[in-house]
Amino acid sequence: MQKLMEVLDFRKISDLWTSLIQQYQVLGIEGVVITLLILAGNGLLQRRKWSWKSRGLSEPFPVLLRASQAVMLGVVLVLANFPAYSQSPTPSQGAASAQPAAQSPQVLTLRQAVETALQNNTQVQLSAEEIQAAKGRSNQARAALLPNLDGQVSQSNITLNLKAQGIDFSRIPVPGFSTIGALVGPFDRFDARAFLQQNLINFAAIRQYQAARAGYKVSTLEAEAARRDTIATVAVLYYRVLQAAAHIEATQANIRLNESLLELAVHQKDAGTGTAVDVTRAQVQLAQQRQRLLSDQVEYEDSRLRLLKTMGKDVSIEVQLADTLTVRDEPILSIPEALTISNENRIELQSQAEREHAARLQLSSVKAERYPSVGFFADYGSSGLTPSDSALPTRTYGVAATLPIFDGGRREGRIAEQSARTREEAIRLTDVKQQVELEVRRALKTLESARQQVVVAEENLKLSLTELELARDRFQEGVTSNIEVVNAQTSLAQARDGRIEALYLFNLARVGLVRAVGQVEKIYQ
């Protein structure tokens, strides 16, 4: 009992309260309130205790005093463990905190998708690196036309065998020479020198540099082609996601319609004007639409992942597309107008023409190797035994001409090879021109057909709605079974799908046309 009273002594209340905070995580405003209550109660009791002692009186009701302290401590423990006052996370709170907060879907327009892809797409980044590589090759070819300056410093200790150099003094019939040994040295040699070389006339190097510059331009055009292909790909994938989302909405609308028609079939059966077969038939239709919804959701998720991958974004983020599948009234180009625009703007034509030009320059470079080349050379420096002993300035300069005479036919073989490659590029250029014209003609025809399909699909949807309304009225009046209603439901679902497909194909046709004429940026402007 005595030990219990010692434990309940409020002089140790601060240590006890600290342990409570650590054990039960009593924090916030509740912890402050409880702390103030304890301090106030402790101060009041201690004041009474000293008041009695100063009067020479014994503590009245000591047991009651200790009991009150015990009650206060019990209140503290209860409050500390009570969920409203404890900050200890409950199992459900802990599970919720372990999961990341749900993020709202990111609203994404077609323009934003394209701009993001142009910054993060792998092909765009690779084409940018290829431009830098082509620039490096161009700088390498240019180096043959610029001065080459080198420096060299050496300090060496040398011994020579004169007989190895063809000098033998012992064979000279002159007195005194026979005593000269074959070994000379050791002696020191110091040399510090700068060397300069410069091509003055070198037609092959000039053509090689021009070909490298043409290759750099080809890489730039290919990068632009990759950029435009990325825009078209993102647009197609964006519309694909819109198509999948539209299918989900249409299927959900079909499910709501089937549920209402199922209720109608049940009502007709209960009223005696319908049969169990009508109810079962309606249930089958509803089950089929629910199964279709699951398939549409998988298709939507696949399309979304493909779009995010092409954009170079994290595939785990949720997006909400801001645009919709619509028909835009745009001026219709004639075939001559479209061909003229495509010849001016198609990067593929410009790139292939530049490839042919680069091949011709490369062929000219190989042929120019037959011509003589002239170069300047010079060196200047200081040579002696050491830098401070006998070091004197020395120099050399001059002009050298090189004339190729015979290399075993290697040069002629390279000329034949490069001539074939030049003809290949010319053939490819003709093929690209034909391909561009084919794409333009097909894109115009496809767009016109898609526009008409949208008109037909809209009319078909209106007729299907009317058919369903009439069939439902006939079934509700008991004139016929719900076979007509089921057929009308099927027709309506097909009409909705047909309208979605028509809008999707129309937007794909728009992408195909602007890509065919080389104005793919218009797709999101």
Side-chain angles (χ1 to χ4, degrees), residues 1-12 62-70 73:
M1 186 66 180
Q2 181 65 27
K3 290 185 177 181
L4 178 61
M5 292 304 168
E6 291 179 358
V7 171
L8 296 178
D9 191 349
F10 269 82
R11 288 174 296 181
K12 301 179 180 180
V63 177
L64 182 60
L65 181 60
R66 295 297 184 181
S68 63
Q69 294 175 344
L73 181 59

Side-chain angles (χ1 to χ4, degrees), residues 305-341:
L305 294 176
R306 290 177 181 272
L307 175 61
L308 293 175
K309 172 63 171 59
T310 305
M311 291 169 55
K313 298 286 287 183
D314 184 4
V315 295
S316 64
I317 66 174
E318 294 293 333
V319 294
Q320 179 181 352
L321 304 191
D323 298 342
T324 57
L325 291 174
T326 57
V327 177
R328 298 184 181 181
D329 294 330
E330 297 177 348
I332 301 176
L333 296 174
S334 64
I335 292 180
E337 291 174 342
L339 290 176
T340 301
I341 296 174

Side-chain angles (χ1 to χ4, degrees), residues 27-168:
L27 301 173
I29 188 63
E30 297 87 359
V32 174
V33 172
I34 294 173
T35 302
L36 294 176
L37 289 174
I38 290 175
L39 293 177
N42 182 47
L44 180 60
L45 292 175
Q46 293 298 330
R47 182 178 179 182
R48 286 290 185 182
K49 182 177 180 180
W50 285 109
S51 175
W52 292 325
K53 287 185 177 182
S54 62
R55 298 177 184 177
L57 302 175
S58 61
E59 235 180 280
F61 309 106
V63 177
L64 182 60
L65 181 60
R66 295 297 184 181
S68 63
Q69 294 175 344
V71 170
M72 185 174 293
L73 181 59
V75 172
V76 171
L77 294 176
V78 171
L79 290 177
N81 285 278
F82 196 74
Y85 293 93
S86 176
Q87 299 297 323
S88 299
T90 63
S92 61
Q93 291 173 340
S97 61
Q99 298 178 354
Q103 297 180 353
S104 58
Q106 176 183 349
V107 179
L108 187 68
T109 64
L110 177 58
R111 184 184 189 89
Q112 291 172 338
V114 168
E115 291 176 348
T116 303
L118 293 180
Q119 295 176 356
N120 303 319
N121 183 262
T122 301
Q123 294 302 322
V124 175
Q125 294 175 350
L126 291 177
S127 60
E129 294 301 325
E130 181 59 30
I131 290 178
Q132 298 302 317
K135 186 176 182 180
R137 291 191 292 269
S138 176
N139 292 337
Q140 294 177 39
R142 183 182 61 182
L145 304 176
L146 298 177
N148 291 336
L149 181 63
D150 299 313
Q152 177 179 322
V153 178
S154 64
Q155 176 69 61
S156 56
N157 186 271
I158 304 172
T159 60
L160 295 176
N161 184 354
L162 295 180
K163 289 185 178 182
Q165 307 297 326
I167 302 174
D168 188 358

